[in-house]
Amino acid sequence: MSFSFSLASNGAANAARSALDNTTEQLTNEARQLASGLRINSAADDPSGLAISQSLVARVNGFERARGNVQSAADAVNVADGALASVTDILTRIRTLAVEASSSIESTGDRANLQAEVSQLLLEIDRISQSVNFNGQPLLDGSHAGFVPAVAASVTVQANSVLATNAGPPGSNFGDLVANVQTIPAYQRPIYYNAVTQNVPASTAPQTVTVGSTVGLLPGDTLVPAGYNGPAIQVLGVNAATDSITAIFPQALSNGAQIRNDVNGSLANAVTPGENVVSITGTAQPLYVGQQLQLPFPPNPEVVTVQQVLGPTTFVADFTYAHSAGDYIGSSHFDGIAGGSGPGAYTITYGTVSNPSPPGQQVDIIDAGNFPAGVYIGTVLSYTSTSYTLSLPTAFPSGAYALAPVGNGTVSNTYDGSIKLQVVNTGVSIAVQESFYNTATQQQATSATLLAPGSTSALFDGVSITLGSFTSADLGSTAYVKALQATAAQENPEAPALELLAGASEGETVALSLPAVTTQQLRVATISLVAGAGSDPTLAAEDAIGQSDFAIQSVLAERAGLGAFSVRLREDESNDALAALNLQASVSSIRDLQVGAATTRFTQTRIEEQVGTAVLAQANALPETFLALFR
């Protein structure tokens, strides 16, 4: 660009001034950066850099606040754990008192004095659970229990005498008074109804025999001939590929003779409410401990559980109502299926039956026109008090009938309590007498049924017990079994878990569930060292030991959970701190000024400003040269 001399304007001065203005503006910006230490002081400095850095600053602040949340939660956990430590000490003291009261040396008055302390300690547990809080938020009263998982029923042998004979099959524990203990299975054994397809001679040796179908049959099943007029058949093995069974047949059977494993008959004797020894008509019935039998006819239909099998047709059961000799009793539903039904769901409605099979129960479905080969397996899909819906595996154009076990599988562990077994001399034989202490009612009961060596029974609370091989040398030997009932899962929508934001973003929450530690929740509210009605003054204290053990383990499990949560909180806090540090470093790399380079640029710009000022001064002097032409 060239400039000519002009009186009206000074192009050179204007150009110099423009360059000097730019230099001055740059110098001002660099001075501001050096003064603030920041490369970006406004959006004009770096629009995208400012947006990114401000977003990162927001996350840094979020992580810093999240650290505060985590620290507060850790403090709350420490408060809760301290309270639980006190509860643990109290429960340990209660257990110690229960151990003292379990000695028969202690008098009734001594136990009453011990119980006075236990009662006060139980009140203190409830006070702690109701009063412990953090920043006004209750911690141990269940207000923040959240989801509480279900607890399965359990039975545990607490003490078990080693028998003097210490005899039993290799690998067995028949050398102990209690050889085996378990809850009664929830499902009944599947019903099997079929026929042999060959002549079978009577023999005490195992025989392999073909049958119409092995569907639903299991090794160990007991079968009886149709009509229940012959001795029981013990099944040793099942071969589904050849539709054959290996079993002991004490009685000869003709080709086509029906065999089945369900109880079906009438009471041979009247029964009264309570524990009864019952006989059923017939020569043999396939009875087993835990089996559910139904007396379906009015005025008093009910389902009872076989507590002990005394013979081929005799058993022990606890009845709610009185029943007369001749009343029907059976273990299966026998229901018709209309022709043209299946495959798919099919609903059967009962008349007088009120205890249908539960979902998942196996059902034998028999094609009436193709027996004995036409036997199929269905499954109960759902049930009500008067009906059940099952799946039909195929179509039944000419009709069929279904055989389903009675019972909905709710016989196990109805109560918390303790079972005591003691070897006694009846004057006729050596037997075991079984007693039960109900924790909730604080009452004990002793069964009139005496148990023989090696027998299996379920006299109390749905607990099946198999005894060892005791003799007169074991008189006085005892065993204790602790039974705990199942508890259902609890959603607790009105008592949600505590939630805290442990990160910088929405939804980065962690939940802290704090179940109640009341005496009711710990199952110790009704423990007593003073026996209720019954003959054993120490059984209540023995039960208190078992209940205390459960409560202690529950509290320790809760403390372990809190400890694990504390570890998680420490990791959360460390992660928040590290994330904030790294993000702050990122903000610094974007916004902070590189002082060394900026100082160099500032010095250079100052020199440029000084040069520009000098040039502008000289450019302003150019018109004087033009005036010299007029001299």
Side-chain angles (χ1 to χ4, degrees), residues 60 79 233 321 368:
V60 169
V79 171
I233 302 163
Y321 306 108

Side-chain angles (χ1 to χ4, degrees), residues 526-614:
T526 58
I527 64 172
S528 173
L529 308 184
V530 182
S535 58
D536 190 339
T538 66
L539 188 52
E542 294 281 357
D543 181 72
I545 295 173
Q547 293 297 123
S548 299
D549 285 340
F550 173 82
I552 290 171
Q553 291 305 313
S554 297
V555 174
L556 291 179
E558 178 63 18
R559 293 188 67 187
L562 288 179
F565 193 77
S566 293
V567 172
R568 179 182 180 182
L569 291 178
R570 285 200 297 270
E571 294 300 326
D572 276 336
E573 183 179 1
S574 175
N575 179 69
D576 289 343
L578 186 60
L581 179 64
N582 290 334
L583 288 175
Q584 187 61 58
S586 298
V587 172
S588 177
S589 67
I590 295 172
R591 296 184 61 177
D592 288 359
L593 184 68
Q594 298 294 327
V595 177
T599 302
T600 300
R601 288 195 302 273
F602 182 71
T603 301
Q604 180 181 350
T605 305
R606 287 195 62 188
I607 293 172
E608 291 175 355
E609 182 190 35
Q610 292 171 3
V611 171
T613 301

Side-chain angles (χ1 to χ4, degrees), residues 119-207:
S119 298
Q120 291 300 315
L121 292 174
L122 293 175
L123 290 174
E124 179 60 14
I125 291 176
D126 283 332
R127 188 198 67 78
I128 291 173
S129 70
Q130 296 299 319
S131 63
V132 173
N133 71 88
F134 181 82
N135 195 31
Q137 290 289 340
L139 298 179
L140 299 178
D141 67 347
S143 297
H144 299 290
F147 174 76
V148 178
V151 177
S154 64
V155 290
T156 306
V157 179
Q158 298 287 84
N160 198 6
S161 294
V162 177
L163 300 174
T165 53
N166 200 22
S172 75
N173 54 350
F174 268 58
D176 298 322
L177 182 54
V178 172
N180 179 268
V181 59
Q182 62 182 8
T183 58
I184 291 178
Y187 290 143
Q188 301 291 283
R189 295 178 186 172
I191 298 298
Y192 177 80
Y193 179 47
N194 215 277
V196 297
T197 56
Q198 66 179 73
N199 292 324
V200 184
S203 175
T204 57
Q207 300 182 69

Side-chain angles (χ1 to χ4, degrees), residues 176-266:
D176 298 322
L177 182 54
V178 172
N180 179 268
V181 59
Q182 62 182 8
T183 58
I184 291 178
Y187 290 143
Q188 301 291 283
R189 295 178 186 172
I191 298 298
Y192 177 80
Y193 179 47
N194 215 277
V196 297
T197 56
Q198 66 179 73
N199 292 324
V200 184
S203 175
T204 57
Q207 300 182 69
T208 299
V209 175
T210 58
V211 294
S213 172
T214 57
V215 171
L217 190 60
L218 300 172
D221 275 354
T222 299
L223 305 176
V224 293
Y228 305 89
N229 56 1
I233 302 163
Q234 301 300 321
V235 179
L236 305 177
V238 178
N239 189 330
T242 60
D243 274 333
S244 63
I245 63 173
T246 300
I248 297 175
F249 292 85
Q251 173 181 294
L253 297 177
S254 301
N255 185 359
Q258 295 181 5
I259 51 176
R260 58 197 303 170
N261 71 348
D262 62 322
V263 172
N264 192 304
S266 302

